[in-house]
Amino acid sequence: MRNFIRTIIFLLLCITISCKSEKKEEDSAKANLTEKATENPTKLEKPPFIWEGANVYFLLTDRFMNGDTTNDNVLDRTKKTGKLRGFEGGDIKGIIQKIEDGYFKKLGINAIWFNPVVEQVHESVDEGTGNTYAFHGYWTKDWTKIDPNYGTYNDLKQLVNVAHNHDIRILMDVVMNHTGPVTEKDPVWPDNWVRTSPQCDFKKYNTTVTCTLVENLPDIKTESDEDVDLPENLVNKWRAEGRLEIELAELDIFFTKTGLKRSPKNYIIKWLTDYVRELGIDGFRVDTVKHVEEGAWSVLAEHAKVAFAEWKSKNPGKVLDDNDFYILGELYGYGIDGKRYYDFGDRKVDYFANGFDNMINFQFKYDAARLDYEGLFSKYSEALATNLAGKSVMNYISSHDDGDPFDKDRSKTYESATKLLLAPGISQVYYGDETARSLIIEGTEGDATLRSNMNWEELKNENTATLLGHWQKLGIFRKDHPSIGAGKHKMISKSPYIFSRNYEKDGFSDKVIVGLGLSKGEKTIQINSLFEEGTPLIDKYSGKETTVTENVVVLNSEYDIVLLEVKK
């Protein structure tokens, strides 16, 4: 490596002229155009964005929308695969197109989570289900580069800018537990970086953490605090791409500034937080939480928050609000049940105390199946206000790897929307939930059946369009009212079923009333003194207006659902 001072000077010069090789890939005029972000003049008139009440859309980039056909066939990923186990063409530009089309705005989405888009292993792997390429994004080859099947660094940069301009936050999916599988094109990382055995048996803490998750998925030695050199294959790759000197200089700056050891986890933390520092990513969705030592997550959280603060200080005109960096974890098997910890059998770990703001709630589908609306909503409201106070959970009805979702055959699509979008906590809409995208695809093996291409063509179907309308009305109501996900739930009437949500914090107040399973036509709804006499209200489901009279409102609509807010 060249003299340290020289590399520092070179790095600073490169930052000034934006000469990092990835950032040169797009025409500079286009980059300048997409970087523009003006403050929303109506920002102060909107309710504040509160993560605990967010409506998140989760999508697989390769399966959502093909916005650029020129990157469909790259890296010679041309082997015949099992059904839906190769790259299908979706990319970052496709997500940008749907943001600009207003699809997410109409759905009430205020945050988007997409699968990891860093460079994946180049070769396919036969898992007994036919050849499989890393279309899903969880088989990392190089954390510092965007996979060309998804797009470019500048595409990702444009995505963040466009999303922010539409008041949408970005959750980046990150993996620190493992590299991609070993193939002829993707050699194993050095022994001081990874272990290839033993395989986890999940019976206790050590056999869940210090082990390989599955066969041929090398486990990063995240427990190590020893200095290690960069893998030779990665150094040679960077050299061939003409960016070795820059990458080495950036690492020198990071480790000098932070004082961290050059351990495997800390290299990855540097690479992941770069996307926050450079692009303004709003949060991480963290993969395989329980398979990494909890202390490693604390370090990631600490440096991600620092990186976000640095981005904000350098981009004051692009800052959306004063929210801190948000970290959501996939702690497989975690369920709300009012507790904060995960029990390994021989050890209990509170991951919320190790950097996490939120955990995916794997229990929601069971609660949604066995509880009525009041049972579900009151349980979640109480849990989030007690043991989980200051934290939250993310609820879902289907996902990319849950083979037993709430509504696998899509026979309860309206109920799915109502329970998910009105439940306390964060809602996660998996792409196609809102359009009844089939989760049963003939000819697929394993989780491929959950990962079909987005069913855009079915929007021409009247039934699909009507279903989408239901999701849109509920989603917009949730987005407009933080009280839905983050507020206090209170039942007003059991029959007919009417409840209120109320949120108050830092001088902001939000309150709504919702009725479910009501009679169609004229209906009388108790207000329970939530709104003052004479207050004009509007039902955001039907669009009908009414006024509070003697602590009730009378409404005539063709629907059995009412979403009441103060008319503005």
Side-chain angles (χ1 to χ4, degrees):
M1 187 176 67
R2 297 190 179 186
N3 180 276
F4 178 72
I5 296 177
R6 185 176 179 183
T7 57
I8 295 294
I9 296 173
F10 180 65
L11 173 66
L12 293 175
L13 176 62
C14 286
I15 291 174
T16 302
I17 63 175
S18 300
C19 70
K20 191 171 181 178
S21 60
E22 279 274 1
K23 298 176 186 177
K24 277 186 171 181
E25 295 181 9
E26 299 284 335
D27 177 68
S28 61
K30 180 180 178 182
N32 288 335
L33 178 63
T34 59
E35 281 180 25
K36 291 181 180 178
T38 57
E39 292 188 84
N40 192 326
T42 62
K43 188 175 171 179
L44 296 178
E45 298 174 10
K46 297 179 180 180
F49 174 79
I50 297 167
W51 272 109
E52 290 73 23
N55 191 20
V56 178
Y57 195 92
F58 169 39
L59 61 89
L60 296 182
T61 306
D62 178 68
R63 302 298 159 86
F64 185 64
M65 182 73 182
N66 191 342
D68 182 2
T69 57
T70 65
N71 60 24
D72 289 359
N73 298 301
V74 292
L75 298 179
D76 195 31
R77 289 165 167 160
T78 56
K79 287 185 179 179
K80 184 178 180 180
T81 67
K83 188 167 185 177
L84 287 175
R85 290 192 170 273
F87 283 88
E88 295 283 321
D91 47 41
I92 295 170
K93 285 186 177 178
I95 305 173
I96 294 170
Q97 284 183 14
K98 298 312 290 184
I99 295 175
E100 292 178 330
D101 288 349
Y103 184 78
F104 297 105
K105 180 179 180 181
K106 293 174 183 176
L107 198 55
I109 298 299
N110 49 15
I112 296 175
W113 153 32
F114 48 88
N115 64 282
V117 292
V118 297
E119 186 174 2
Q120 301 294 292
V121 294
H122 292 187
E123 186 57 274
S124 64
V125 176
D126 189 348
E127 300 179 308
T129 53
N131 282 323
T132 299
Y133 284 108
F135 69 89
H136 45 68
Y138 295 96
W139 291 349
T140 305
K141 182 182 182 73
D142 184 349
W143 276 271
T144 70
K145 190 176 182 182
I146 303 304
D147 193 278
N149 265 112
Y150 301 133
T152 67
Y153 180 92
N154 274 334
D155 291 339
L156 181 59
K157 185 175 186 177
Q158 182 185 4
L159 170 61
V160 177
N161 285 333
V162 170
H164 285 176
N165 285 340
H166 287 77
D167 206 26
I168 295 173
R169 278 74 180 165
I170 293 296
L171 279 169
M172 188 172 181
D173 203 330
V174 298
V175 181
M176 199 161 75
N177 174 64
H178 55 268
T179 68
V182 179
T183 76
E184 292 181 1
K185 295 181 181 179
D186 310 286
V188 65
W189 290 47
D191 289 344
N192 57 3
W193 271 82
V194 304
R195 63 175 59 83
T196 55
S197 65
Q199 193 168 331
C200 300
D201 66 16
F202 316 113
K203 293 181 179 179
K204 56 184 180 179
Y205 182 84
N206 285 340
T207 62
T208 302
V209 179
T210 315
C211 49
T212 61
L213 186 59
V214 296
E215 186 178 359
N216 196 25
L217 201 63
D219 183 67
I220 297 288
K221 292 183 174 179
T222 47
E223 79 281 5
S224 172
D225 279 321
E226 299 299 317
D227 289 330
V228 297
D229 292 330
L230 288 165
E232 183 179 356
N233 284 312
L234 188 61
V235 170
N236 291 336
K237 178 178 181 295
W238 288 350
R239 181 180 289 113
E241 294 169 351
R243 58 191 180 100
L244 175 61
E245 191 170 68
I246 283 291
E247 296 296 343
L248 294 179
E250 288 185 354
L251 286 166
D252 285 340
I253 291 175
F254 177 79
F255 286 115
T256 299
K257 180 179 178 180
T258 62
L260 293 173
K261 290 277 192 177
R262 291 177 180 251
S263 64
K265 68 173 175 289
N266 291 337
Y267 277 105
I268 298 173
I269 286 170
K270 186 272 180 191
W271 295 331
L272 293 176
T273 57
D274 275 352
Y275 294 103
V276 181
R277 187 176 295 103
E278 297 169 5
L279 304 181
I281 298 290
D282 302 279
F284 285 155
R285 178 273 187 185
V286 178
D287 188 61
T288 53
V289 167
K290 68 181 178 183
H291 300 289
V292 173
E293 296 75 16
E294 58 271 23
W297 297 131
S298 294
V299 179
L300 174 66
E302 175 188 353
H303 289 279
K305 291 178 188 298
V306 168
F308 196 45
E310 289 179 5
W311 178 83
K312 283 187 171 184
S313 69
K314 294 177 181 178
N315 299 273
K318 295 184 179 183
V319 175
L320 294 177
D321 53 43
D322 60 359
N323 276 305
D324 205 346
F325 192 79
Y326 201 75
I327 301 187
L328 157 74
E330 182 228 13
L331 177 58
Y332 186 78
Y334 174 81
I336 188 169
D337 271 342
K339 63 180 182 290
R340 291 172 60 106
Y341 61 83
Y342 183 84
D343 191 350
F344 286 89
D346 62 339
R347 182 173 173 179
K348 294 178 180 178
V349 177
D350 181 358
Y351 289 94
F352 287 107
N354 285 273
F356 286 94
D357 300 295
N358 186 297
M359 288 292 168
I360 294 174
N361 178 27
F362 289 86
Q363 186 177 328
F364 183 80
K365 63 179 184 179
Y366 302 114
D367 288 337
R370 70 182 183 86
L371 297 174
D372 61 13
Y373 287 113
E374 176 58 23
L376 179 69
F377 297 160
S378 59
K379 173 182 178 176
Y380 278 50
S381 180
E382 181 180 357
L384 292 170
T386 52
N387 290 350
L388 290 172
K391 302 294 183 178
S392 191
V393 295
M394 174 182 276
N395 306 313
Y396 72 90
I397 60 158
S398 71
S399 78
H400 62 316
D401 57 7
D402 189 333
D404 185 28
F406 171 67
D407 182 26
K408 188 168 186 176
D409 63 1
R410 299 297 197 189
S411 62
K412 299 181 287 187
T413 50
Y414 284 84
E415 179 186 348
S416 294
T418 305
K419 284 187 171 177
L420 177 67
L421 296 177
L422 294 180
I426 292 181
S427 54
Q428 174 228 287
V429 181
Y430 183 46
Y431 78 106
D433 282 346
E434 74 279 19
T435 56
R437 177 179 62 87
S438 179
L439 300 176
I440 304 173
I441 308 299
E442 185 177 352
T444 58
E445 295 285 343
D447 52 22
T449 193
L450 308 170
R451 304 173 177 183
S452 59
N453 292 307
M454 180 62 177
N455 57 331
W456 296 114
E457 285 298 312
E458 292 183 28
L459 285 178
K460 298 175 183 177
N461 180 294
E462 183 178 353
N463 290 336
T464 305
T466 302
L467 172 65
L468 177 60
H470 180 67
W471 282 82
Q472 288 173 332
K473 289 176 181 179
L474 289 171
I476 290 173
F477 193 66
R478 164 178 271 270
K479 182 195 72 171
D480 289 344
H481 294 286
S483 60
I484 297 295
K488 183 178 181 180
H489 172 85
K490 184 176 182 179
M491 183 174 71
I492 296 175
S493 168
K494 184 174 183 179
S495 183
Y497 181 52
I498 301 168
F499 65 85
S500 66
R501 294 281 168 81
N502 194 356
Y503 178 88
E504 293 186 11
K505 188 175 181 180
D506 299 331
F508 171 75
S509 175
D510 179 52
K511 49 191 177 182
V512 297
I513 288 179
V514 176
L516 300 176
L518 308 178
S519 60
K520 297 181 180 180
E522 186 171 285
K523 45 189 105 6
T524 300
I525 301 165
Q526 298 179 45
I527 298 302
N528 202 28
S529 301
L530 191 69
F531 301 113
E532 295 180 356
E533 179 77 8
T535 302
L537 303 179
I538 183 169
D539 168 26
K540 297 301 287 186
Y541 201 90
S542 67
K544 299 293 182 66
E545 299 177 9
T546 185
T547 302
V548 178
T549 305
E550 297 182 354
N551 206 30
V552 300
V553 295
V554 178
L555 196 73
N556 193 321
S557 78
E558 59 185 299
Y559 306 108
D560 63 358
I561 180 172
V562 167
L563 308 174
L564 287 174
E565 66 175 36
V566 175
K567 181 186 175 184
K568 298 177 178 63

